[in-house]
Amino acid sequence: MTKSEIQQDKNSGEDRSENPVEQRFRLSDHDDIQQRTKHLLSRAVQANQSMLIDAPPASGKTTKTFEVIDEADDTFTYLTKREDLYEQAENLGEESDLSLTIIPSPHRSCPSFDSTSPHYHPEAPELHGLGVRAGQLHDLLDLTCTPDCPYQKFWEDFEAAEHDVLVGHYKHAYISSVIEDRVVIIDEFPGDAFEQPFKDAPKMLSRFLKVTDDIPFDDWDDLIIADEDEKEQAYEWFAANGIEEDAEIIIEADKTTRYHAIAPFLTWTVLESLKGDNGFGFPWFNLEASETISTSFGELENNRRVAIDHEERRIHVLTQPNLDDAKRVIGLDGTPLPEQWGLVTGEDFDHETLIEQDTAMNSYIRDILGVSVKQANDHLKAYHGGHITANRDEAILYGVEVKEGQKPALIAPKKAIDAYRDVGILDRTNHWMNYANVLSSNDFKDEPVGVIHGAPHPGDATLKKWAAYFGHHIEGRGEGMEKTYGDFGDRLYHHFVHNQVLQAILRFGRGESEATVYVNTAAIPDWLDIDGKVNPKLFNRSNKRAIADYLREVGDQGASKSDLADEVDVTEKTIKNRLNEFDEEGLIEEVQESDWPYRKIYRWSP
């Protein structure tokens, strides 16, 4: 059955007049939704204000973006997450006769970063990781890739006006020449790209402090307990030297003493940190809304937010790109948290939603995408802690296969995927994916059956980190579905958990046929309609699956209890109990055998 046939079948004979908004979406087809998306994109290109477009997966936001670009007179910069999405952009550009240029990165384009190249220079990627820009490396380091380096040559010849559409990674937003006087489109949330974790912060800061005599500290611990006199002495050094290190000093330093270019900034940040009872701290300037902040040693640009994990002794830095010189900035997201977009980009977005009402979203999922959602669990199933119910999860996969007549596709957290692989459960699926790869993926669009195991809980540390960027200290209380982080923290929690489950659900039903998705977690948006529940215990024992396997294998021939006892290594009592359970679920039929009037045959007939 095609999507249009599903639509006609579901709409026929039904009175939808009670809710005009819901009716409008139920009676629309997929092409109409995509045209609405295009209209909203066209408005965003012409608007005077940056716009964040909330358009669910399968609404055509990427495809229609390139149609709008083709019809507009502006020049564009399109930023996305992965290299395979650059190829998607190229293909869409070719369909629209657009001329696209892929922005190079040193890791993709410079031989000095390529370990298989004769020009490979191991210090190039190492120093780049310490904050030395690729252009500085080519100027200051003896690289044999020059003068014919493709990366260097691109930038030497680069004239932005000559490129109608530039396609690159989110991090290219830091390069002013690819942003200035262009419409910048950011496809999906770019937060991870603008973050930098310093996992061994004490070691790095100690290296910086040991070579900086005028700052009266030797290590991380000294910074934590610094008194006001010591801080003032440090501020004098910052006033004279700034809060970022010169690239040449880092390059010339001995390998064993090198530190990151922003080590001075991080040192100052730790001194200014406000530590909370939740183990996280943040500097007072996280609370500043202005683009500059006043310090005792001068005015500083306020394009960074910092979260300090005191328990793990890590520092996380979020650095906003400067998008002030862009003509307009357009953000595209299926489940956005608007304040998070504003924080990471520094932009004041108008937030526009393609499908406003919850009832309309349910209609979109059910009637336009043809997706039916069934729930298999009333618990959170937060697998980030490592407690993975592999046997029960296999039971659900098996039950879905029995119900639907085919193996399902699977989406689950990485820890769950690893556990399933170890015990062979992935054989119960025909395709699987880690939650981390779900965004922008079309791999499951033609899968008619899906299972989502567990919720992609990021862990309390991640939630505390993001709260710290916003200038909040949060702490989780309670367990499972009752856990709360307070009003502000719960907004972050529901975004990272419930919205990501929704994103996973919406990976299905994007092709020509309908899809059924079984969700093994209760972490779903409150407004989402559930089309029924499944019994996760039906096949939760290996002997149940073994009996079912044998009955499915013999087919119409069926099997008696004695046949099952001979073929399946279980007791007769167990066989009797399992057959009773299957009978109650309507999975078998009981037939009196003609040659043996007192013997019954059991056939699999779900």
Side-chain angles (χ1 to χ4, degrees), residues 6-206:
I6 296 167
Q7 188 67 43
Q8 292 171 8
D9 180 65
K10 290 183 176 180
N11 290 331
S12 60
E14 295 188 36
D15 181 7
R16 307 293 177 115
S17 60
E18 75 286 351
N19 188 330
V21 173
E22 186 173 357
Q23 179 187 25
R24 184 182 66 196
F25 278 92
R26 283 179 171 171
L27 296 178
S28 297
D29 60 18
H30 207 171
D31 288 341
D32 183 46
I33 292 293
Q34 296 206 6
Q35 289 307 309
R36 294 169 193 241
T37 302
K38 183 176 179 180
H39 175 72
L40 194 52
L41 282 161
S42 297
R43 279 181 47 208
V45 168
Q46 299 167 24
N48 295 322
Q49 177 80 13
S50 293
M51 186 180 291
L52 173 59
I53 297 178
D54 179 348
S59 59
K61 59 181 181 292
T62 302
T63 303
K64 295 305 174 185
T65 290
F66 284 89
E67 290 184 15
V68 169
I69 289 175
D70 188 38
E71 296 168 4
D73 294 329
D74 290 297
T75 55
F76 290 81
T77 297
Y78 174 81
L79 303 178
T80 186
K81 183 177 183 179
R82 303 187 307 268
E83 289 181 34
D84 62 305
L85 299 176
Y86 300 171
E87 297 175 9
Q88 180 187 27
E90 280 190 301
N91 293 335
L92 290 171
E94 289 173 2
E95 292 175 10
S96 303
D97 294 326
L98 284 169
S99 175
L100 285 84
T101 302
I102 304 296
I103 307 171
S105 72
H107 290 280
R108 281 186 290 110
S109 308
C110 177
S112 295
F113 284 73
D114 181 0
S115 61
T116 65
S117 169
H119 297 291
Y120 176 61
H121 195 309
E123 288 194 87
E126 177 189 333
L127 288 164
H128 193 255
L130 291 175
V132 181
R133 295 190 299 275
Q136 294 173 313
L137 289 171
H138 284 83
D139 292 338
L140 301 173
L141 202 62
D142 185 20
L143 301 180
T144 61
C145 65
T146 57
D148 299 319
C149 175
Y151 177 81
Q152 187 180 33
K153 186 169 179 54
F154 176 89
W155 292 112
E156 287 175 347
D157 298 339
F158 182 68
E159 293 289 342
E162 297 176 0
H163 303 270
D164 293 333
V165 185
L166 294 169
V167 175
H169 189 265
Y170 302 136
K171 289 183 178 180
H172 286 120
Y174 291 125
I175 302 175
S176 59
S177 58
V178 305
I179 297 300
E180 187 175 3
D181 204 32
R182 305 177 74 88
V183 178
V184 178
I185 298 174
I186 304 175
D187 198 345
E188 301 292 356
F189 180 64
D192 290 349
F194 297 157
E195 282 191 278
Q196 186 166 16
F198 293 90
K199 296 182 179 180
D200 197 1
K203 179 179 178 180
M204 183 190 63
L205 294 186
S206 294

Side-chain angles (χ1 to χ4, degrees), residues 19 21-22 24-25 353 355-362 527:
N19 188 330
V21 173
E22 186 173 357
R24 184 182 66 196
F25 278 92
T353 303
I355 304 176
E356 290 279 1
Q357 288 78 11
D358 294 347
T359 53
M361 261 304 286
N362 277 306
W527 53 261

Side-chain angles (χ1 to χ4, degrees), residues 547 550-551 554-564 567 579 589 591 599-604:
I547 293 170
Y550 185 72
L551 290 175
V554 298
D556 290 341
Q557 174 184 330
S560 65
K561 291 178 181 177
S562 59
D563 292 334
L564 288 166
E567 296 295 334
L579 290 174
E589 62 178 353
V591 181
R599 192 170 78 158
K600 295 178 181 177
I601 295 294
Y602 300 90
R603 291 179 184 148
W604 192 255

